[in-house]
Amino acid sequence: MAMIHAKTIIKSGNISCPDNVFSKFILLVMIVSTVTFYPGKLKAEAEADSKILNTSGNTIKYYKKYYNDRFNFEIEYPSNILSQKFESDNNDGVVFSSGDEKILLTASGIYNALDKSPSELYNDVVGDYINKGGEITYKTLKGNWFVVSGFLNGKIFYRKSIVEKELIVSADLLYDKKSKELVDVYMKKIMNSLKIMN
């Protein structure tokens, strides 16, 4: 209720508040909390949600699904830190970004025109990152999907691709090192949600 009645007027650098002392106190707490504790609060909430997800399998309320009808795949993303920036003109994928653009998530699909196997595509991706000067720190190939992760141009990348019949769908996360702790909370959920619909 204090948020409704507390009134702040900013004019010519001056801040005037209601005379009610309690309202002033509540307003001050709100300002300090927003400036000082919001990033930590966001991470704490994410960690709590992650624990709920890991123990019960529930879908957290701020996760949203993106469905691509051209390549028939979907992925879930945390809408509290990522928002859709644009979808490609030919409808092959979408880009999500954090407000400060330090975290980027791309989900896309292509046709496997050369009919390459998952292992061949896996080797292509690893080689491509190395040729670009990247450092591979983690890679795995299992069945029809693979993951490649590491550092490129001072940022962390994480790619997961699924190969199914004539389709290849991928999710790519690119973020700075300062965002790693926050991204780690969401990484598993995002990547596990990538799938080609039957």
Side-chain angles (χ1 to χ4, degrees):
M1 297 299 294
M3 290 178 64
I4 296 174
H5 296 295
K7 192 174 183 180
T8 303
I9 302 172
I10 303 177
K11 185 175 181 181
S12 302
N14 296 319
I15 299 178
S16 62
C17 303
D19 291 332
N20 185 289
V21 175
F22 181 72
S23 294
K24 287 184 178 180
F25 172 77
I26 292 297
L27 184 60
L28 179 61
V29 170
M30 287 165 55
I31 294 172
V32 172
S33 297
T34 301
V35 174
T36 308
F37 300 112
Y38 179 73
K41 180 182 178 183
L42 180 64
K43 180 178 181 297
E45 288 176 347
E47 288 177 336
D49 289 337
S50 180
K51 290 177 181 178
I52 292 173
L53 185 69
N54 291 336
T55 56
S56 68
N58 293 330
T59 300
I60 305 307
K61 62 183 179 181
Y62 50 66
Y63 274 96
K64 293 184 178 180
K65 286 184 179 180
Y66 164 80
Y67 172 71
N68 183 283
D69 57 3
R70 180 182 177 187
F71 292 102
N72 196 32
F73 73 87
E74 72 175 26
I75 190 169
E76 295 183 32
Y77 65 96
S79 61
N80 60 324
I81 64 167
L82 296 176
S83 59
Q84 184 173 327
K85 291 302 179 183
F86 63 86
E87 191 168 22
S88 62
D89 293 335
N90 64 357
N91 193 32
D92 65 350
V94 65
V95 175
F96 302 93
S97 172
S98 59
D100 56 10
E101 298 187 346
K102 291 183 178 180
I103 305 172
L104 295 176
L105 170 64
T106 303
S108 60
I110 59 172
Y111 291 111
N112 189 5
L114 299 179
D115 196 28
K116 289 191 174 183
S117 66
S119 60
E120 289 175 316
L121 292 166
Y122 167 75
N123 289 329
D124 287 347
V125 171
V126 170
D128 185 48
Y129 277 117
I130 292 175
N131 290 336
K132 290 178 180 178
E135 176 189 352
I136 307 296
T137 58
Y138 175 77
K139 58 182 181 178
T140 185
L141 168 65
K142 295 183 179 181
N144 70 332
W145 63 270
F146 60 85
V147 168
V148 180
S149 181
F151 299 97
L152 181 66
N153 298 326
K155 292 190 175 183
I156 302 170
F157 69 85
Y158 189 105
R159 170 181 284 191
K160 179 178 181 179
S161 293
I162 301 173
V163 185
E164 190 169 302
K165 297 180 180 178
E166 76 280 5
L167 296 180
I168 306 167
V169 299
S170 300
D172 294 86
L173 267 168
L174 184 66
Y175 51 99
D176 63 356
K177 294 178 181 178
K178 291 183 179 179
S179 301
K180 182 181 184 303
E181 193 173 2
L182 180 60
V183 172
D184 283 349
V185 175
Y186 298 96
M187 178 82 76
K188 185 176 180 180
K189 169 66 175 173
I190 294 172
M191 293 302 169
N192 284 348
S193 72
L194 178 70
K195 60 183 175 181
I196 298 176
M197 309 300 290
N198 296 321

